[in-house]
Amino acid sequence: EKLVAIKTILPKFAADPRFQEMFLDEARIASRIEHLNVAQIFDLGEEHEILYLAMEYVDGEALSKLNRACQRKGVKVPTGVVMRILADTCSGLHEAHELHDGVRALEIVHRDVSPHNILVSTKGIAKLIDFGIAKARSRVGNDTNSGVLKGKIQYMAPEQALGRSVDRRADVWAIGAILYHLLAGRPAYEGDNQLATLHLLGSGRPPVPLPDSVHPAIRAVVRTALSHAPENRYATAAAMREAIEDAMVEAMVPTTTSDVAAFAIKHLAERTEKRRQSIELALAAAAERRRVEE
């Protein structure tokens, strides 16, 4: 027996053909990706007319929750931990970007890389999730809704925010935006409202420089990733991973997945224990149901 995570469409949208098609598209795209740093999809099914995905269960929390837990304690996520998580996320992204159908590239772009969609396991392994709005050449669902922005604007590349064509370099931008946010404690671009943020993104102006306390090598990585013109960014997520790894060495913050695990366990211990207890209760209840049925 194996624990899995089950993802479903919310019941109120379950009968909506558009949501069903998006869900099936996610299954088609994400099920092809087999990489340590991407949460794996095992199966697609339907129960009581509700579609579901059976996915790898990741014993951990989103990077956003780790960051919030630290903020509540007045602690900053160490630079090395941030960079290790994002370097490994780049590895998973590169695998997705490079996928072929045997003849042609699938041209997958995640389009929603954010701290909410990067899980950090109790073993310190980063897992990218949620390809629900991913772009791919093979995607059959309707990819555009007039007036609707897909993704989280704080981590959205300018071309994506402005509704232009995107490629893998939009995901490179997102990694840079996450790195900036976690290092500076604020988003790279943030206006008083979404429209103001869009204006800032489209202006072509670079974000406010990172604090001098951030090592120059790390500032250089962020600056390249957040270049307004896609051609000035890292060409691939693999290239950005290499740049992050080199910057970690230069800044003397070498960090392993074991280091990430130790930090996450320390600051997420309470949430981890509550989750473990919830699972134990659910398993006990399921066992009791089976016993009664038998």
Side-chain angles (χ1 to χ4, degrees):
E1 293 185 351
K2 186 173 187 175
L3 280 178
V4 296
I6 301 294
K7 179 174 181 175
T8 67
I9 304 175
L10 287 171
K12 63 181 178 180
F13 299 129
D16 188 324
R18 292 172 302 170
F19 280 89
Q20 291 175 353
E21 198 54 63
M22 277 183 66
F23 199 77
L24 292 170
D25 270 342
E26 178 177 5
R28 291 186 191 103
I29 293 168
S31 62
R32 294 172 178 259
I33 306 167
E34 293 186 20
H35 191 275
L36 176 67
N37 299 115
V38 177
Q40 192 174 357
I41 290 179
F42 298 131
D43 198 12
L44 167 71
E46 187 175 355
E47 183 81 14
H48 303 304
E49 299 184 346
I50 294 179
L51 291 168
Y52 70 85
L53 289 174
M55 305 174 67
E56 172 187 0
Y57 171 69
V58 180
D59 185 16
E61 296 286 353
L63 177 56
S64 57
K65 290 184 179 177
L66 174 60
N67 188 43
R68 279 201 300 273
C70 289
Q71 286 175 335
R72 284 194 294 269
K73 297 178 180 180
V75 175
K76 195 170 183 181
V77 182
T79 299
V81 168
V82 172
M83 296 184 78
R84 174 80 275 139
I85 291 169
L86 294 181
D88 292 348
T89 302
C90 282
S91 290
L93 265 177
H94 187 69
E95 182 74 13
H97 293 160
E98 288 289 301
L99 274 181
H100 284 66
D101 60 8
V103 180
R104 292 185 296 172
L106 294 177
E107 298 174 12
I108 292 171
V109 186
H110 188 286
R111 296 198 300 184
D112 196 16
V113 179
S114 71
H116 307 79
N117 287 333
I118 300 171
L119 301 184
V120 182
S121 80
T122 53
K123 293 183 179 178
I125 298 171
K127 298 274 187 180
L128 183 63
I129 61 169
D130 200 353
F131 283 76
I133 67 166
K135 169 188 173 289
R137 180 177 50 75
S138 60
R139 187 154 198 153
V140 298
N142 185 15
D143 195 42
T144 56
N145 283 317
S146 180
V148 176
L149 271 179
K150 293 184 175 182
K152 298 172 185 67
I153 195 165
Q154 289 182 338
Y155 310 104
M156 196 180 287
E159 63 272 20
Q160 183 180 347
L162 297 172
R164 297 171 184 160
S165 177
V166 299
D167 60 24
R168 64 174 72 192
R169 293 169 296 185
D171 289 340
V172 166
W173 168 287
I175 294 289
I178 296 169
L179 185 52
Y180 183 104
H181 192 170
L182 293 180
L183 292 175
R186 64 179 185 277
Y189 294 92
E190 186 174 42
D192 293 333
N193 52 50
Q194 193 176 66
L195 191 61
T197 303
L198 275 172
H199 179 72
L200 287 171
L201 274 171
S203 70
R205 293 195 301 269
V208 174
L210 286 165
D212 290 339
S213 58
V214 178
H215 192 279
I218 299 172
R219 294 205 301 268
V221 170
V222 176
R223 191 164 54 247
T224 300
L226 293 183
S227 296
H228 185 78
E231 60 269 22
N232 293 333
R233 297 175 207 154
Y234 298 105
T236 67
M240 185 166 186
R241 181 199 166 103
E242 288 178 17
I244 292 173
E245 298 278 8
D246 290 345
M248 288 170 73
V249 172
E250 200 169 333
M252 293 185 290
V253 288
T255 309
T256 65
T257 53
S258 296
D259 297 328
V260 174
F263 183 81
I265 288 169
K266 179 180 177 182
H267 294 284
L268 293 170
E270 189 176 334
R271 294 183 67 92
T272 301
E273 180 58 22
K274 283 182 179 177
R275 186 171 61 250
R276 186 189 63 77
Q277 290 177 1
S278 296
I279 290 170
E280 284 185 356
L281 283 171
L283 289 173
E288 179 61 17
R289 281 198 303 275
R290 281 198 301 270
R291 190 188 66 79
V292 169
E293 287 168 1
E294 287 169 1

